[in-house]
Amino acid sequence: MIDWLISKLGMLIAIGVVTGFVLALFSWQHGMMVDEQSQRLADDIASKIDSLAGLEAKVRLNMSFGNEPGQLPYTLDGKDYEINITGNMVIISQGQKQWISHFIEPVICHNLSERQFNLTDYDKLFTSEFIVFNSSHDFILERGAIDVSGQVKYVSLVY
């Protein structure tokens, strides 16, 4: 009788260990998929900004959120997130986690109402500014022309 009870108890422990291992494996796999999706989102936003770099034309892209192709997702793993764009990188933040992607060319993180600058003011445009968007706040990517001491330059703007 005791042998039968010990064998059943051993079997329950083995089932519990195997079940715990399988659940841990699925949890780890889910975490990896969320990390991959979040990093891909950061890379996609950086890629769209990079696609403007080098263009000598006026272009304006509206980055919106939704479920349609080409739109950014409202949530990552069912939770809101923030998009922080600095002069040289995109940072996707969700709680304590962050995913980062860099640009080819620096961007200006605000809309320029004045488009004529001298060289000193032009250099100040690329100082360490940043802009933060919620995962439901649309934003604009723009490639625009500015006049720098009589010379036309094209810059990338995010606002």
Side-chain angles (χ1 to χ4, degrees):
M1 179 75 170
I2 290 180
D3 290 340
W4 178 82
L5 186 60
I6 290 174
S7 72
K8 297 303 175 197
L9 187 58
M11 190 67 94
L12 286 174
I13 291 171
I15 290 171
V17 168
V18 169
T19 302
F21 176 75
V22 168
L23 290 176
L25 179 65
F26 283 127
S27 176
W28 173 77
Q29 201 173 33
H30 175 73
M32 292 297 290
M33 286 176 26
V34 170
D35 281 344
E36 185 179 313
Q37 176 190 17
S38 302
Q39 184 61 51
R40 189 172 34 242
L41 176 62
D43 292 342
D44 287 348
I45 294 171
S47 175
K48 286 183 180 173
I49 293 170
D50 283 343
S51 70
L52 298 177
L55 291 178
E56 293 196 16
K58 295 179 182 180
V59 179
R60 191 173 169 160
L61 300 172
N62 183 19
M63 301 297 292
S64 61
F65 294 84
N67 297 324
E68 299 295 319
Q71 291 183 317
L72 302 173
Y74 285 116
T75 62
L76 292 172
D77 194 30
K79 299 173 193 156
D80 290 341
Y81 61 94
E82 285 185 343
I83 301 170
N84 182 350
I85 299 178
T86 68
N88 61 357
M89 72 179 101
V90 173
I91 305 168
I92 303 294
S93 302
Q94 188 181 56
Q96 299 296 322
K97 294 182 178 181
Q98 292 184 333
W99 300 272
I100 299 172
S101 190
H102 294 273
F103 310 138
I104 294 172
E105 179 182 286
V107 299
I108 298 170
C109 297
H110 57 86
N111 189 7
L112 298 177
S113 56
E114 178 64 39
R115 299 282 172 127
Q116 291 185 337
F117 301 94
N118 61 33
L119 287 173
T120 305
D121 291 338
Y122 174 73
D123 289 338
K124 289 179 185 177
L125 291 175
F126 296 99
T127 58
S128 59
E129 296 180 13
F130 65 93
I131 192 164
V132 178
F133 303 103
N134 305 3
S135 58
S136 60
H137 187 267
D138 296 352
F139 58 98
I140 303 291
L141 304 178
E142 180 182 352
R143 184 73 176 180
I146 61 172
D147 181 316
V148 180
S149 297
Q151 183 181 12
V152 176
K153 290 188 182 263
Y154 287 89
V155 295
S156 297
L157 307 166
V158 177
Y159 55 90

